[in-house]
Amino acid sequence: MNIGVRELRNQTSQVIDAVRAGEQVTLTVHGEPIADIIPHQQRTRWLSGPNLQRELQTRAADSDLTRELGELAGHTLDEL
């Protein structure tokens, strides 16, 4: 949804309803986009170190990625 500053002033509650429903709204001035109004994403809960380790151990990593990261570990960008 695109909306001008004047329209925003007159339709604030409709814009808020649209954002709450998950829609992204682009705010314009004289037809030029100047800002995006986007819904907040649900934040990931914080995990303590031991809980994070436990969670990571139960997840399967891409074996090729794991191998490639292992090969790159300890190298600087200049060395690669």
Side-chain angles (χ1 to χ4, degrees), residues 1-9 15 24-38:
M1 167 192 289
N2 290 335
I3 191 162
V5 174
R6 288 186 183 149
E7 291 174 285
L8 177 62
R9 182 183 60 224
V15 171
Q24 179 175 328
V25 176
T26 300
L27 181 62
T28 63
V29 174
H30 303 297
E32 181 181 338
I34 61 160
D36 290 319
I37 304 170
I38 60 170

Side-chain angles (χ1 to χ4, degrees), residues 47-61:
L47 293 175
S48 66
N51 286 340
L52 177 60
Q53 283 181 325
R54 191 169 31 258
E55 289 291 321
L56 291 174
Q57 288 173 350
T58 64
R59 307 282 192 253

Side-chain angles (χ1 to χ4, degrees), residues 2 10 20 37 40 57 59 64 67 78 80:
N2 290 335
N10 296 329
R20 279 188 176 152
I37 304 170
H40 274 269
Q57 288 173 350
R59 307 282 192 253
D64 288 334
R67 181 186 49 74
D78 290 335
L80 299 173

